[in-house]
Amino acid sequence: MATSPSNRAKESADGKALVHVQCPNALQSKHSTAAADDYGHTLESIDVDVHQPSQKLLLWRLKHPWLAAATAAVIAASLLLLVVLLPVCLTKGCQPKAHVPKEGQQDLTAIKRLIVSFQAPGIDALSALPPEIRRFASNLKINSSQLQVLSLSSEAMLQQAKRIISEHPEIDFVLRDFNLSLGDARGKHFMQSQPQQHHKQQHHKQQQPVQYQQQQQVQQQPWQWLQQQQRPMHHDQLQNGSSKQLAPVIRRLQQTSSSLIPPPAPNDPMYSSQAYLRITQASEAWALTRGQDNVIVAVLDTGADTSHPDLQGNLWVNYKEIPGNGIDDGRNGYVDDVNGYSFLGACLDGLFDMFGSCQECTHSSDITDTAGHGTHMAGIIAAVRNNGVGMTGAAPNVKVMILSVADCIDGTIYASAVAQAMDYALKMGAHVLSCSFSNSFPLALQPSGPPGPWDTSSSQTATFVRAAKPLETAGVLIVAAAGNSQVNLDLLQSLGYSNNPCLTPLTNIICVGATDNADNRASYSNYGTKTVQISAPGSITSTWTGGGYKLEAGTSMATPLVSSAAALIISLLASIQDPAAAGAAEPPRAAGAVKALLLSTADLPAAGANTYKTRLNSARAVGQALAVYAPTNMTSVLPKPQGQPVMSLPGFNEVYYDNKLGPWMKAVPVDVGIRTAAVPLAGFQYGAGYTLKLSASMAMKTSGVYNLRLQGTSAGAQVLVGQQPTAQVLLPTNGTQATFLLRQAPGTVDIDIVLPNPGMPVDVLLKTPESGKFQRFSGFQVAVPTVSGGSAGSYVPAAGLVTTLVGSGFVVLYNFSSSAAAKNTTSTLNKTLLFLKNRVVLPGLNYTSGALKPLLLSATPTQPSSSSTNGVVGAAVGALNISKAGQYAFQVTCQGCTLWLNNQAILDSWEAANTATGSAKQSPCVSLNTAGRQPLLLTFASTNVSAMPLVVRVADCGSSTWKVVQSSVSPGLVEASKLAGSAGGMRCLAYKGASLPNVPNPTAASLQPLFTAQLPTSGSSMDFKSTLDALQPGLAVAYPVSVPINRFSLRCMTYVPAVRQAGSISLGPAGVTSAAFDVDLQIWDGKTAAPPVAYIQPPSTPSFWSLLTLQWQNITATTALTVMQGSAPFQVSASGMWVPR
């Protein structure tokens, strides 16, 4: 605008100061006069009173017409916007902006919170303020640390409150709530896109001394390659581009690794690219433990994606809380804290500005992570292992408690939120706190002196000391990131700078630096040989928001690796602690011991490496924990080879002992049977006055520490592992526990559970390295490694030794009884069968109620009186021919029956219902891993033979098609016509050694007989009275009796007519281990002889002969061997006996 010289101040007639101006004619008024400027434009002249506000505004409008017009337009638009938005916000509400972290640091003046600490407890910060300020303030007290967080309504109120409180006589310190970062001095984690990174570099160049600027630019280069990895990726998109770079590092580490053998690789597709697990030997540590589900790592960060499929299974759960009901069900002061809590995650009372931005944050149960950083940390620790998804965590069985300490405005982490989170973690049982944040510093800061008087380092450190001291007292470990500012923390600490919580001077804090892919100190990592106590790999791909995965690098990523190792140590300590000790129900809080183990077992840097103090070695730390703290009575077990057994089935071998006969270890069993693997254990056949031993094996997939716990046991219960007692609690009112270390895997381990005076149900719980928690275990197996030829110590030739076996059928041995039948106890089965006088061959076992008695009566040589035939006790002996290996189930209908297969009980019906009614009972699925002949035995006892059914059926496991068992009689029974052409007499096989081989056709050279002899040695018959030297002249000279190792065993066999009543068989001399068998059945046990054997053949069955076996063990060449039949010497005849072929 052009003005004339006449635009000048003048005084009016009434004394007012006037300004005479000329203006464009667009502003003409009735007081103006016309004029023209130098360009010929029409101007108007007016007088303005400069003392009047309205006239001043007019003067400004006249001088600046275009600016005035623009201002008017802005005001009009703002009014229009207010008119539109205000009704909307009032009716529908204005939503806050999405949580997107801003660049740089938040303006401190916007944080209207004070952290207050008094020297004396019980002082309320609000009470120290005058009423006119108190009404604009609120106070939050943190119980464990006695810190208080005072929130004010304005900056002015905050300054007044700070001044007043600082003058309180009991004040310890008061400071404005201060922020921490997730990475380096640029305020956030440094993995940003390139434009964002450039902007931050310029910001710090203005603040740093000139001599540091060039160094900063150079040191940014090492992580430039990471800029390509910005987009969150799903696991199937990830590339293991650094595997070649890492291979030399891993090879070097393997050469110095621990002796632990890692378990089989999980099925997580990213596992092969998780090289940091092998660098830190976390996978080797899993050979001892993968963590326990009651070990809790609190992750203090930005929250977590709780819907991520690789995290859901390992989130800590507050089971006292009902999700989403808006009630503090657990009464811990927090509402709906199901998986953790957020301490600054919600906008306070809807305090949003007109643009939707929050003005102040408060607590919330919503722990949703919108930044991704906290999700990344949680996955490094506890991503679910072996779920076929993504990755596996370094401590995959522990639980992560999600504590969000990021504010709702821009994600900044504040000390007040951290202090609250520490208090919460302490209260809710956390064992380790993982803190991937620290103070911010300019890159490569190297101060030459202490901080200035304006610096709050000392107060910040005091805040963290107050907040973390209760955790130190409780033994909770805090693992803190060193930071990514390339700063020497030794220097900073010596000058008095703070870097919390990393440099907080407490014994339960461990400060973590980062290493790179070459196992050197990462270029970005803060460092210090005194302050940065341990390092770990910092470049890690882990879980990210939205169910994906992302590569990040920093000390933030190294920190959860150390937290994971600490959690593994605590899990190991929990698994080996004395279950009877005070507090043993929970894992120990032992920060001092855990920290010492981590630091003392860490690896030193390789020669020439960029300096760091030590690098994490998880396997060595966990192994050292076991070596130092394992109880002296803990058993170390080598499993049995995992060879395929001939037969196996779920369940226990059940043995009862009478306590009146002495300690069970030395007593003779009173009963043996089979019990299903179902738990709790209940329905015992004997109670008070008896001891029950349950024996089984457990298949172990991995090595490590196992805990087997009994609940509900009586006093004196024991658990024996590998036949070695590992636990004996005299008064286990709430359970007894056995702890053992399985040193190798896979394999099987024998377990014995001993229960004195069984009565109440007993639960069996097992904690394995795989599960990490106690679970009801029903995977007990009974396995038959080899097939013995009949009863204990008997010998039956293989089918190939005879031409044709007798057809389908069972040999049934029985006695009638006039008294009520007792259980045919299988523990003394051989002795029981010694006294069974009657024998009959029956075509099969498919007899309904009442059908069996006539057959047994018709086959009895001397008919018993009717009064003596009420009860019967007996056994049916045969064999099941299996055409192919597989799983089979058996069904028995009888009274008081036990079914044995391959000399292993598989079904026991001695329970009230089955014994009384003879109802059907089914076995579990039995795995028969070899085809061919399987020895089968059924014992039975009934008080009423007239009503006793006897049915044995078999079906493919899972099938409903049952078939009657078709038995082939033992190869020890052979038709007489098939023996034609065989040599007469008896064949004897002598073996070097004190015991006999228990296999039919030994092929190993060590199992071959020393010599074979044919009896009679001369003539057509002889009394069996001889020595080994007589059978093999010169044997006594070659093997002098005076030499202790010159011991032998002898087995003699012959076929004799099955129908005979010649007297009982007994062997001599006395004191020598000897036995005699008729087919599969023992007729002499070294002390007692069975009654004379008498087979009664039903009509239309062929004549057959039975195999007689005589055997001696641990004899010399001159031991006098005798065989008696009744009171006369046993005659060996060349014409009345046949040698097996």
Side-chain angles (χ1 to χ4, degrees):
M1 178 181 70
T3 60
S4 70
S6 62
N7 291 348
R8 60 189 182 274
K10 64 179 181 177
E11 187 171 310
S12 65
D14 55 2
K16 295 181 179 179
L18 300 177
V19 176
H20 184 77
V21 297
Q22 292 179 335
C23 56
N25 56 11
L27 299 177
Q28 291 182 17
S29 70
K30 63 181 180 179
H31 302 289
S32 62
T33 57
D37 63 9
D38 296 337
Y39 299 96
H41 298 147
T42 301
L43 301 175
E44 298 289 335
S45 298
I46 60 174
D47 292 331
V48 178
D49 187 350
V50 297
H51 292 290
Q52 295 293 326
S54 60
Q55 296 295 302
K56 285 185 177 181
L57 179 61
L58 176 61
L59 178 62
W60 181 81
R61 288 179 56 204
L62 293 174
K63 289 186 176 182
H64 308 284
W66 300 110
L67 184 59
T71 302
V74 170
I75 293 174
S78 299
L79 291 173
L80 178 62
L81 185 63
L82 181 62
V83 169
V84 173
L85 288 181
L86 185 59
V88 174
C89 290
L90 292 175
T91 57
K92 295 187 177 180
C94 292
Q95 298 300 316
K97 290 183 179 180
H99 176 180
V100 179
K102 298 178 181 178
E103 296 300 325
Q105 297 182 356
Q106 194 175 26
D107 181 10
L108 288 180
T109 61
I111 306 305
K112 296 180 283 294
R113 291 188 299 270
L114 295 174
I115 299 176
V116 182
S117 173
F118 292 100
Q119 296 177 358
I123 301 176
D124 190 335
L126 280 178
S127 65
L129 298 176
E132 59 270 20
I133 297 178
R134 191 184 310 156
R135 61 189 292 243
F136 296 104
S138 62
N139 193 26
L140 184 149
K141 297 180 180 179
I142 303 175
N143 293 331
S144 62
S145 61
Q146 296 297 307
L147 289 174
Q148 300 180 48
V149 181
L150 195 62
S151 298
L152 285 305
S153 61
S154 68
E155 177 65 18
M157 289 293 179
L158 181 142
Q159 293 297 339
Q160 291 189 56
K162 182 179 180 182
R163 178 184 58 78
I164 294 171
I165 293 176
S166 64
E167 295 172 355
H168 194 283
E170 294 292 338
I171 190 64
D172 185 7
F173 59 83
V174 55
L175 75 164
R176 187 193 295 269
D177 194 5
F178 55 96
N179 67 345
L180 303 128
S181 70
L182 295 171
D184 62 2
R186 287 165 288 182
K188 301 297 173 199
H189 194 268
F190 65 82
M191 293 195 62
Q192 310 274 350
S193 62
Q194 188 65 35
Q196 294 172 329
Q197 185 183 37
H198 176 73
H199 172 76
K200 292 183 179 180
Q201 291 168 0
Q202 296 299 322
H203 173 71
H204 288 110
K205 285 180 182 178
Q206 299 172 11
Q207 299 183 12
Q208 298 178 49
V210 176
Q211 61 264 33
Y212 301 136
Q213 294 181 10
Q214 184 175 2
Q215 181 182 12
Q216 173 186 347
Q217 294 171 354
V218 172
Q219 291 179 330
Q220 289 164 357
Q221 295 176 2
W223 59 70
Q224 294 293 328
W225 64 276
L226 294 173
Q227 302 306 323
Q228 302 173 1
Q229 303 286 350
Q230 295 309 307
R231 183 172 55 88
M233 296 173 289
H234 289 272
H235 64 82
D236 54 356
Q237 300 173 306
L238 293 172
Q239 301 293 325
N240 184 20
S242 60
S243 59
K244 292 182 179 180
Q245 181 183 2
L246 292 171
V249 177
I250 296 175
R251 281 197 299 269
R252 173 176 65 80
L253 296 173
Q254 288 173 339
Q255 294 172 359
T256 59
S257 66
S258 65
S259 59
L260 299 176
I261 301 174
N267 61 9
D268 305 293
M270 291 169 55
Y271 174 72
S272 61
S273 64
Q274 292 182 261
Y276 58 89
L277 294 178
R278 291 172 285 284
I279 290 176
T280 61
Q281 296 192 31
S283 52
E284 282 77 9
W286 296 341
L288 291 176
T289 180
R290 287 162 223 175
Q292 295 191 172
D293 74 335
N294 56 354
V295 173
I296 304 166
V297 179
V299 179
L300 280 64
D301 216 280
T302 62
D305 179 0
T306 57
S307 65
H308 199 293
D310 238 357
L311 293 179
Q312 282 184 317
N314 281 338
L315 294 173
W316 170 79
V317 177
N318 179 7
Y319 289 104
K320 294 181 179 180
E321 202 70 22
I322 300 174
N325 68 350
I327 299 173
D328 180 14
D329 305 288
R331 298 185 178 182
N332 63 347
Y334 299 89
V335 175
D336 291 338
D337 54 324
V338 178
N339 302 123
Y341 207 69
S342 176
F343 298 92
L344 285 175
C347 194
L348 178 64
D349 296 330
L351 291 180
F352 308 121
D353 61 19
M354 62 186 299
F355 299 103
S357 296
C358 182
Q359 301 301 294
E360 188 171 348
C361 301
T362 186
H363 55 82
S364 168
S365 62
D366 185 2
I367 56 174
T368 301
D369 181 15
T370 57
H373 194 272
T375 302
H376 203 270
M377 303 304 102
I380 294 172
I381 297 169
V384 178
R385 185 180 189 272
N386 238 14
N387 64 344
V389 176
M391 58 183 291
T392 182
N397 282 345
V398 306
K399 300 302 182 186
V400 284
M401 177 188 290
I402 307 302
L403 302 181
S404 176
V405 291
D407 81 338
C408 66
I409 298 175
D410 67 354
T412 299
I413 291 179
Y414 282 95
S416 63
V418 173
Q420 294 176 65
M422 287 181 172
D423 177 73
Y424 182 96
L426 176 66
K427 178 188 301 182
M428 301 307 292
H431 301 89
V432 179
L433 272 62
S434 189
C435 302
S436 291
F437 50 82
S438 63
N439 287 93
S440 297
F441 298 102
L443 286 175
L445 172 68
Q446 296 183 14
S448 58
W454 61 87
D455 189 89
T456 61
S457 288
S458 60
S459 296
Q460 290 184 16
T461 298
T463 299
F464 269 88
V465 168
R466 268 296 187 99
K469 184 66 177 179
L471 285 87
E472 180 190 53
T473 303
V476 179
L477 184 69
I478 299 174
V479 184
N484 305 324
S485 304
Q486 308 165 38
V487 171
N488 183 346
L489 295 185
D490 289 355
L491 174 62
L492 262 63
Q493 186 183 56
S494 66
L495 294 175
Y497 288 86
S498 65
N499 185 27
N500 297 298
C502 186
L503 296 185
T504 304
L506 294 175
T507 60
N508 64 323
I509 297 176
I510 184 169
C511 185
V512 182
T515 59
D516 61 17
N517 287 341
D519 205 27
N520 294 317
R521 174 169 60 84
S523 59
Y524 52 77
S525 178
N526 290 350
Y527 58 94
T529 56
K530 295 180 180 179
T531 51
V532 182
Q533 298 151 310
I534 195 169
S535 295
S539 179
I540 294 176
T541 298
S542 181
T543 48
W544 200 257
T545 54
Y549 301 83
K550 187 179 180 183
L551 173 64
E552 293 265 290
T555 58
S556 287
M557 289 71 220
T559 298
L561 280 180
V562 178
S563 300
S564 300
L568 291 178
I569 293 173
I570 295 170
S571 299
L572 188 280
L573 295 176
S575 67
I576 63 176
Q577 66 184 346
D578 183 358
E586 296 296 332
R589 282 174 160 177
V594 174
K595 180 177 178 180
L597 287 165
L598 288 169
L599 299 183
S600 64
T601 59
D603 290 332
L604 297 175
N610 192 359
T611 305
Y612 57 83
K613 187 173 183 180
T614 60
R615 199 246 309 113
L616 174 68
N617 187 315
S618 298
R620 190 175 292 124
V622 175
Q624 184 68 8
L626 179 67
V628 173
Y629 295 102
T632 56
N633 66 339
M634 191 179 82
T635 297
S636 179
V637 179
L638 279 173
K640 296 187 300 185
Q642 201 175 25
Q644 189 178 50
V646 171
M647 185 185 82
S648 62
L649 70 156
F652 295 92
N653 278 326
E654 189 176 47
V655 183
Y656 288 93
Y657 300 88
D658 189 338
N659 294 342
K660 294 190 297 292
L661 302 178
W664 68 268
M665 294 82 73
K666 300 179 180 180
V668 175
V670 297
D671 188 18
V672 172
I674 185 72
R675 167 180 288 274
T676 67
V679 291
L681 305 170
F684 305 112
Q685 297 180 32
Y686 301 81
Y690 291 85
T691 294
L692 169 62
K693 184 180 77 168
L694 299 170
S695 301
S697 62
M698 298 189 300
M700 304 299 197
K701 296 180 181 178
T702 61
S703 62
V705 176
Y706 288 76
N707 302 109
L708 188 125
R709 177 178 293 175
L710 306 181
Q711 289 185 344
T713 60
S714 57
Q718 290 179 287
V719 176
L720 295 92
V721 182
Q723 305 305 313
Q724 296 295 324
T726 59
Q728 183 174 1
V729 183
L730 297 180
L731 295 173
T733 54
N734 60 347
T736 181
Q737 177 174 309
T739 300
F740 60 94
L741 169 65
L742 186 68
R743 291 185 292 176
Q744 295 179 9
T748 60
V749 173
D750 291 332
I751 300 288
D752 290 333
I753 298 173
V754 181
L755 304 175
N757 305 304
M760 298 298 293
V762 175
D763 216 347
V764 182
L765 307 175
L766 183 69
K767 181 169 64 180
T768 72
E770 291 176 290
S771 67
K773 58 184 176 182
F774 278 105
Q775 295 175 312
R776 180 173 286 172
F777 183 74
S778 58
F780 295 100
Q781 291 276 325
V782 175
V784 179
T786 59
V787 179
S788 164
S791 301
S794 70
Y795 173 85
V796 176
L801 292 179
V802 294
T803 305
T804 302
L805 305 180
V806 174
S808 176
F810 285 89
V811 177
V812 180
L813 304 88
Y814 62 97
N815 284 352
F816 286 112
S817 173
S818 59
S819 60
K823 182 177 181 183
N824 189 359
T825 58
T826 47
S827 62
T828 55
L829 179 61
N830 292 331
K831 284 187 175 295
T832 302
L833 298 183
L834 288 175
F835 296 99
L836 296 178
K837 299 178 180 180
N838 306 304
R839 302 191 181 194
V840 63
V841 177
L842 298 178
L845 297 179
N846 189 25
Y847 299 96
T848 59
S849 179
L852 184 62
K853 182 177 180 179
L855 291 173
L856 299 182
L857 286 173
S858 67
T860 304
T862 302
Q863 294 297 315
S865 63
S866 60
S867 63
S868 64
T869 60
N870 293 331
V872 67
V873 59
V877 183
L880 178 65
N881 277 323
I882 297 296
S883 60
K884 62 178 181 179
Q887 288 194 318
Y888 299 87
F890 293 83
Q891 188 185 80
V892 173
T893 306
C894 69
Q895 294 177 354
C897 290
T898 305
L899 182 64
W900 298 69
L901 190 65
N902 290 317
N903 291 325
Q904 169 62 53
I906 63 172
L907 190 154
D908 192 350
S909 72
W910 275 89
E911 294 153 2
N914 296 92
T915 301
T917 65
S919 58
K921 185 173 183 181
Q922 183 175 325
S923 75
C925 289
V926 179
S927 298
L928 296 173
N929 299 316
T930 58
R933 181 179 181 275
Q934 319 280 328
L936 186 146
L937 171 69
L938 177 72
T939 61
F940 56 88
S942 174
T943 58
N944 185 4
V945 67
S946 299
M948 185 186 78
L950 195 62
V951 181
V952 181
R953 301 195 296 173
V954 65
D956 291 334
C957 196
S959 171
S960 59
T961 303
W962 294 92
K963 299 178 181 179
V964 175
V965 169
Q966 298 297 317
S967 170
S968 63
V969 179
S970 165
L973 285 170
V974 61
E975 294 180 36
S977 61
K978 303 303 181 182
L979 292 173
S982 298
M986 176 177 282
R987 178 180 298 160
C988 294
L989 293 80
Y991 296 88
K992 183 68 171 68
S995 60
L996 285 163
N998 197 28
V999 292
N1001 294 303
T1003 57
S1006 60
L1007 299 179
Q1008 296 300 315
L1010 182 66
F1011 67 85
T1012 302
Q1014 192 83 11
L1015 302 179
T1017 54
S1018 62
S1020 59
S1021 65
M1022 63 174 285
D1023 294 343
F1024 197 111
K1025 186 177 182 180
S1026 184
T1027 64
L1028 291 181
D1029 189 63
L1031 297 177
Q1032 183 74 17
L1035 190 68
V1037 176
Y1039 297 93
V1041 176
S1042 59
V1043 179
I1045 64 172
N1046 288 338
R1047 295 295 182 267
F1048 303 90
S1049 300
L1050 180 68
R1051 175 178 284 145
C1052 298
M1053 299 171 292
T1054 185
Y1055 278 103
V1056 297
V1059 180
R1060 62 190 187 280
Q1061 291 287 332
S1064 301
I1065 299 292
S1066 59
L1067 280 60
V1072 171
T1073 302
S1074 61
F1077 299 89
D1078 182 75
V1079 192
D1080 290 348
L1081 305 172
Q1082 191 168 10
I1083 57 175
W1084 169 256
D1085 67 354
K1087 294 181 180 179
T1088 306
V1093 174
Y1095 285 93
I1096 307 301
Q1097 295 181 227
S1100 304
T1101 58
S1103 173
F1104 56 91
W1105 292 49
S1106 63
L1107 181 69
L1108 176 66
T1109 303
L1110 313 172
Q1111 55 192 42
W1112 294 262
Q1113 300 186 80
N1114 196 20
I1115 58 177
T1116 68
T1118 60
T1119 300
L1121 308 176
T1122 61
V1123 180
M1124 302 294 290
Q1125 189 166 21
S1127 59
F1130 179 75
Q1131 289 284 315
V1132 180
S1133 172
S1135 60
M1137 299 177 177
W1138 299 97
V1139 174
R1141 57 186 170 96

